[in-house]
Amino acid sequence: MPRRLKLDIPGPDRRVTPDDVLAKGWAALFAPDLASPLRIVLEIGFGRGEFLLDLARRAPEVAHVGVEVSRKRVLKQARRLARTELGNLRLVHGTGEQALADLFGPASLEAVWINFSDPWPKKRHHRRRLVQAPLVAAVADRLVRGGLLQVATDDVPYAEQIDAVLAAESRLENVFAPSRWLADVPGRMPTAYELEWRAEGRPLHFFAYRRIAG
Ligand SMILES: C[S@@+](CC[C@H](N)C(=O)[O-])C[C@H]1O[C@@H](n2cnc3c(N)ncnc32)[C@H](O)[C@@H]1O
């Protein structure tokens, strides 16, 4: 029998809705834990969420926002987060595309992380891939000057697509140039999916692009 999902949040509930963000703004939603002006880091598709928790723990003075399309993942992360002392992390249930469009203004994000988003290997499903030119353009617009977009994938054809759309965005510059990506980034905390793919010996691709003038 499938285990029933636990719905109670055993501590502060760090979930916020898009309506909350639109009505109150991020500064009010992070108060009193963080003072304005906020520095904001966004992870899209945080999955099991350990990477995002680690980011938030490492930079307690920075506001972290996780956007995830799976309601179950958001609930589980909210339960986990409620048992911690972390006041610098908020969770949104929704898509990254919509969150970028509605919830963040130009030059409002210090960093954006997209780790191992679904590769949708069948050609007819490629349009469902997260990393596409419109999304990258939205990220470039939302990043502050010097802000970073970091993307990881284990899928070779998807890596080629990611490389092409990132390289084509004139407001971003490749931090790892002349390499198109790195197979390993020293000091980087692995995500849950990354550990699985590493165990299977799959090739990994890590991209880092910086927002430049333009
Ligand atoms: C393959 S998992 C990777 C999870 C995690 N980043 C990791 O590396 O372990 C992809 C995650 O992205 C989420 N996702 C897929 N499309 C999304 C979208 N458009 N916006 C936000 N999250 C999305 C999925 O629900 C899933 O949790």
Side-chain angles (χ1 to χ4, degrees):
M1 207 166 90
R3 274 201 296 169
R4 191 171 296 160
L5 206 56
K6 292 191 178 127
L7 299 176
D8 64 299
I9 305 294
D13 189 349
R14 305 301 192 185
R15 291 172 297 178
V16 298
T17 67
D19 284 348
D20 291 334
V21 182
L22 294 174
K24 301 176 189 165
W26 287 113
L29 294 174
F30 276 100
D33 298 304
L34 294 177
S36 289
L38 293 178
R39 296 163 57 197
I40 307 181
V41 168
L42 170 68
E43 185 180 7
I44 299 174
F46 56 76
R48 286 177 224 166
E50 69 302 305
F51 185 89
L52 183 57
L53 276 180
D54 190 61
L55 283 182
R57 278 200 188 98
R58 288 185 194 199
E61 73 291 356
V62 176
H64 290 74
V65 178
V67 176
E68 169 57 63
V69 79
S70 159
R71 190 182 293 278
K72 187 172 108 181
R73 292 281 177 217
V74 175
L75 175 63
K76 288 191 165 189
Q77 180 78 333
R79 285 175 51 77
R80 194 175 301 132
L81 185 54
R83 295 193 190 92
T84 74
E85 298 293 308
L86 287 174
N88 64 331
L89 176 51
R90 300 291 181 270
L91 308 174
V92 179
H93 174 230
T95 69
E97 296 92 327
Q98 206 61 51
L100 283 167
D102 297 343
L103 309 184
F104 302 98
S108 61
L109 295 173
E110 196 166 272
V112 176
W113 294 84
I114 302 175
N115 292 317
F116 302 95
S117 60
D118 304 292
W120 295 106
K122 290 184 183 154
K123 189 152 190 198
R124 68 176 187 277
H125 292 154
H126 283 184
R127 61 195 165 79
R128 298 186 191 174
R129 287 173 169 172
L130 183 60
V131 184
Q132 313 261 4
L135 180 111
V136 170
V139 170
D141 181 69
R142 301 319 187 248
L143 282 175
V144 298
R145 187 92 56 89
L148 283 181
L149 167 60
Q150 304 200 60
V151 182
T153 185
D154 61 296
D155 187 83
V156 175
Y158 192 22
E160 291 291 346
Q161 171 175 325
I162 293 169
D163 177 49
V165 293
L166 291 176
E169 173 50 66
S170 61
R171 293 168 293 175
L172 297 176
E173 96 181 340
N174 181 4
V175 173
F176 298 147
S179 301
R180 297 195 292 159
W181 58 70
L182 296 185
D184 226 336
V185 178
R188 202 194 126 105
M189 142 110 185
T191 75
Y193 275 77
E194 179 177 342
L195 290 173
E196 286 182 28
W197 305 153
R198 275 189 193 281
E200 289 180 16
R202 295 201 205 182
L204 302 183
H205 312 75
F206 297 99
F207 299 85
Y209 274 68
R210 185 184 295 112
R211 175 68 158 92
I212 54 174

